[in-house]
Amino acid sequence: MKQIIELRDTEKRKMIAETFGISLANLSQILRFKRNGKNVEAIRKMAQENGGIKYTEGNESSKVKVLDSRGNVTSIIN
């Protein structure tokens, strides 16, 4: 399940980065749930408290396409 916290306000992003002593690039990675560490939960919480919106991708069933030798779809398996 993919998650992301979207915080577009650059001033608030800078404030959060300065508060925790991290770079803006590192903050972006943390808000995209690509990095973990000792303060990430506090950073994500602060981002949400300052207007960040958390998005979660739902659990969708995966589909597999069966192709013939020419690349044409012959069937789809759920």
Side-chain angles (χ1 to χ4, degrees):
M1 185 179 332
K2 287 180 136 182
Q3 297 181 54
I4 187 171
I5 298 174
E6 184 178 291
L7 180 61
R8 293 186 177 190
D9 188 338
T10 56
E11 292 302 317
K12 290 182 180 178
R13 290 176 75 90
K14 287 179 186 176
M15 183 266 303
I16 293 170
E18 289 174 3
T19 300
F20 287 95
I22 59 174
S23 67
L24 290 173
N26 195 11
L27 177 63
S28 292
Q29 293 290 313
I30 291 169
L31 295 182
R32 286 188 279 152
F33 289 79
K34 303 265 184 194
R35 296 283 186 263
N36 289 313
K38 60 182 180 178
N39 291 328
V40 294
E41 292 304 318
I43 293 168
R44 291 172 182 149
K45 182 179 178 186
M46 183 180 260
Q48 287 182 293
E49 290 171 352
N50 284 285
I53 301 170
K54 184 175 183 179
Y55 294 102
T56 304
E57 185 177 294
N59 290 336
E60 299 176 11
S61 60
S62 58
K63 297 180 181 180
V64 177
K65 295 180 181 179
V66 179
L67 308 176
D68 63 13
S69 62
R70 295 183 180 182
N72 299 317
V73 177
T74 58
S75 64
I76 298 176
I77 301 171
N78 289 329

